[in-house]
Amino acid sequence: MKFKTFAAFVGPSIFLMLLFIAAPLVSVFLQSFYVTQPVFETVEVETCTPGFPTQTCVTELKTQPILGEDGKVVTEVRYVGLESYRNVLEPDRAWAALSALDFNTLLTIDFWKALRFTLTFTLVTLPLVVGVGLAIAVAVNNASRLIRGPIIFVSLLPFIITPVIGALSIRWLFIGDGIMTAFLEWWLSRDIAMFAQGWTIELLMMFYRVWHVAPFAFVVFYAGLQTVNQDTLESAIIDGASRWERLRYVVIPHLMPLIVFISLIHLMDSYRVFEEIVGFSSQAHRISLQWLTYDFLTPDDSGNRSISRASASAMLTMIGIVILLVPLLRKTWRDHKGGRV
Amino acid sequence: MIKQILLAGGLSLAAIGGAAACDFQNEVPVKSLSAGFEAWKAVTDAMAKCGNFEAELDQEFRTKQPAAFAADPSLYQIGGVANGTLVPLMNEGTVRSLDNLVEKHGQNLTANQLIKINGEIMAIAMMVNAQHLMYREDLLSDLGISVPKTYDEVLAAAEKIKAAGVVEYPVGGTYKTGWNLAQEFVNMYLGMGGEFFGDGNEPSIENDKGVVALETMKKLTAFMDPEYLVSDSTYVQQQFQQGKIAMANLWASRAGAMDDPNESQVVGKVKMAGAPTAAERAASTLWWDGIVIAKNASDEQADAAFRVAMAGMNPDMVKANNDAAVWLIEGYEPGPLAQGVVETAQAGAVPYPASSQMGLMHTALGNGVADYLTGAKDAQTTLRDIANAYRTSAKEAGLIQ
């Protein structure tokens, strides 16, 4: 292909990627080193509000921003270096806890608590998603043609549901005396409160994620299964390989690139776990890194938000994903190079 | 053709609506942005009768409002605010002084409705809200318990109710992590007579009052649904309606729902009383809801917007919606549902101390208090960590040097 044609095809998407991915990333990266603050003054203010039977007036010292001549708040931008990162990571407290081997204390610091949950969540759901996806794909592949269509349709359903809606519906099944909790209580004849402690919520969140994402793995694996070399399979049967051996030595090696692909996507997605936290309102017990960023960005009643710490936390999340992906990417790269020789 | 019919229908409806209650025909387009609870619905419906008025009722208004009012011209002329949400608008100077407008069109306002900051009227309040005690009168009188006045009495009563086993959980609480939980701590800590800030906006919550406030909260949770950390006002309201709890410190704006026969199984059995007192005063805060007018609007628009707002806050509207809120507007007949707020105010509850630094403190509390209730930290550590979290964000915001 001529370079010009190539450029004409690729150009627009490169431009859009630069505009919508690279530029915001650079902007967030820069923002994490600066803080923007209003210039404050402290003045005495008298505030009168409704009371019974008459108004109550309070005079107090208030810190309020200075308004410039254009009627806007006067702000100043300050370079703070790594301070926002320090504020997120709290290295002093973390180090003190670590050197005392006191992990419970370490896990009361927001970032480390979030990291612990995010990593557990990511690494536990990964094999489950791959395994369940593969199992459904193999099962569907062996099912008779008559019922294959309906089975595929039903197994895809969880994937179609909007994540937050899915999480909310599972929450409503289990919260308080929800249908499922009521059933479990009747079955085990004991009082159950799924949302009263962290580990049950964590289990529910993982269950939800596997339920939601496994269909995606299934579809990919099912497509891959259609391309397995039938001759190899037949010769394996003639050689006396059992069903399990065929799966282990013929099918899985053939699907390996797809397994790596699914793992990459899943690692990236589940490291950014967020819908589950909001859907299950687990903030009291479990928070994730992405939720931490969101929390920094959410303005409170008085309109404050911590843009700098949010930027730092977002950058840290990205670094975390890159570190997680490195082993898989290196493997793909090696295979790729090996294939060329 | 269809379009014309629809248009004609719309026009005639508007004409009928206009004739019903508004005393003038509004010609200038006016828009408002406010929260979406029952009282706002009533008021904005009444405003709409003046014509050319569009109301946006949105529970996420607090994130939208500062930016929408900072635009020039402002995207909304009327804003619905409360103690807390007035702060960002005041800080950015995007609301106008109402002195002249009140003089021109505010004949029906009572002195209690005028929110004055440094003597200037900046907002018009329409209702007050507070968390106060709601209790199942039938259960308490059956068990011979008098209405608890202090938190010690609440705990004693809860113990008796638990022993009698008449409800699933004796106490309900809006302890959902985040804003709600922080609000409960604010109530309790102010009730203990605590102060949140010292000189230079430094936090001052690391003291005995803070510890006792936390301890009282934890004692209460022993009588609650174990899932208290996810229960918000709506959840507690439903627990009441389904007869699962006997007492709760709940928002006055939820009182009407207890007697709603469509939702409630305990119609007429839930009574209101003042918020229980802690060491110093009633452990609750007083809130008001009301309107502001945008600064970035022409004088003509502001005039029309204010007239529309005044027409909305009229005695007829209050009569039709008497139990939707504790109104400050003339014509309100304080019914039994208002008793809780009045008693709470008389027991010394203070207005919620809204300010920039209080916003940050509220967030830090909302994220931090749960660690004590779950047992992850002791009280002193919890308070120290909350103070540090506040200090970090206050430094980032520039409130502490």
Side-chain angles (χ1 to χ4, degrees), chain B residues 168-192:
Chain B
E168 211 165 333
Y169 309 108
V171 178
T174 51
Y175 274 45
K176 182 176 175 177
T177 330
W179 195 92
N180 288 291
L181 185 58
Q183 180 56 31
E184 290 292 345
F185 179 83
V186 170
N187 287 341
M188 199 63 85
Y189 183 66
L190 287 175
M192 297 289 173

Side-chain angles (χ1 to χ4, degrees), chain A residues 32-311:
Chain A
S32 67
F33 297 107
Y34 291 90
V35 292
T36 308
Q37 298 172 331
V39 182
F40 284 102
E41 58 179 353
T42 304
V43 285
E44 201 164 80
V45 177
E46 187 199 33
T47 316
C48 295
T49 51
F52 293 96
T54 53
Q55 284 205 315
T56 36
C57 293
V58 186
T59 307
E60 57 193 349
L61 284 176
K62 277 210 169 160
T63 309
Q64 57 187 41
I66 299 173
L67 295 182
E69 274 167 16
D70 57 350
K72 298 249 187 313
V73 175
V74 182
T75 57
E76 57 178 9
V77 179
R78 215 152 41 83
Y79 176 78
V80 291
L82 291 173
E83 191 180 293
S84 297
Y85 289 88
R86 270 198 295 277
N87 287 340
V88 174
L89 291 170
E90 303 188 50
D92 300 338
R93 269 175 76 197
W95 184 244
L98 257 187
S99 43
L101 286 178
D102 184 356
F103 290 104
N104 285 335
T105 310
L106 181 70
L107 294 182
T108 59
I109 308 175
D110 279 346
F111 177 83
W112 301 98
K113 182 167 141 190
L115 183 70
R116 201 284 301 158
F117 169 73
T118 308
L119 279 179
T120 321
F121 183 83
T122 308
L123 298 177
V124 171
T125 51
L126 175 67
L128 288 174
V129 163
V130 171
V132 173
L134 192 62
I136 306 177
V138 171
V140 169
N141 204 32
N142 290 328
S144 90
R145 275 188 185 279
L146 258 180
I147 53 165
R148 212 176 272 183
I151 292 186
I152 293 179
F153 176 72
V154 169
S155 23
L156 275 183
L157 274 182
F159 191 54
I160 301 169
I161 297 172
T162 313
V164 175
I165 305 295
L168 280 178
S169 32
I170 299 232
R171 169 197 153 109
W172 285 115
L173 285 180
F174 284 99
I175 199 167
D177 287 327
I179 300 176
M180 286 307 288
T181 314
F183 170 72
L184 285 176
E185 282 177 354
W186 167 81
W187 187 39
L188 303 171
S189 52
R190 49 174 293 193
D191 197 33
I192 294 175
M194 292 296 278
F195 285 79
Q197 56 282 319
W199 64 271
T200 41
I201 305 184
E202 192 164 338
L203 271 183
L204 274 184
M205 289 199 269
M206 290 184 187
F207 166 77
Y208 167 71
R209 181 54 74 109
V210 174
W211 176 77
H212 178 63
V213 182
F216 172 64
F218 150 64
V219 169
V220 174
F221 289 144
Y222 183 66
L225 281 178
Q226 309 311 309
T227 65
V228 174
N229 191 331
Q230 295 301 317
D231 296 343
T232 324
L233 269 186
E234 270 174 37
S235 41
I237 294 173
I238 292 167
D239 288 344
S242 68
R243 193 173 272 261
W244 165 247
E245 282 166 339
R246 271 177 279 152
L247 184 70
R248 173 76 189 75
Y249 296 107
V250 181
V251 175
I252 290 187
H254 177 76
L255 291 181
M256 211 52 200
L258 292 180
I259 293 179
V260 172
F261 166 72
I262 295 282
S263 308
L264 276 176
I265 300 277
H266 184 74
L267 282 178
M268 276 192 273
D269 274 354
S270 53
Y271 197 76
R272 292 182 292 110
V273 45
F274 176 69
E275 292 92 344
E276 281 85 351
I277 306 284
V278 176
F280 290 93
S281 44
S282 68
Q283 295 91 313
H285 303 284
R286 297 290 185 268
I287 56 174
S288 75
L289 293 171
Q290 191 79 353
W291 186 85
L292 206 59
T293 311
Y294 162 82
D295 190 45
F296 287 140
L297 269 183
T298 314
D300 60 35
D301 265 9
S302 315
N304 308 297
R305 44 168 53 165
S306 329
I307 306 274
S308 309
R309 266 188 296 165
S311 310

Side-chain angles (χ1 to χ4, degrees), chain B residues 246-290:
Chain B
M247 295 182 288
N249 202 34
L250 194 60
W251 290 97
S253 50
R254 303 278 173 168
M258 302 301 160
D259 290 343
D260 178 353
N262 294 323
E263 294 179 0
S264 177
Q265 301 167 6
V266 291
V267 174
K269 292 178 184 164
V270 179
K271 294 281 183 283
M272 312 299 150
T277 52
E280 191 101 336
R281 55 170 90 93
S284 180
T285 46
L286 296 180
W287 293 72
W288 55 265
D289 283 272

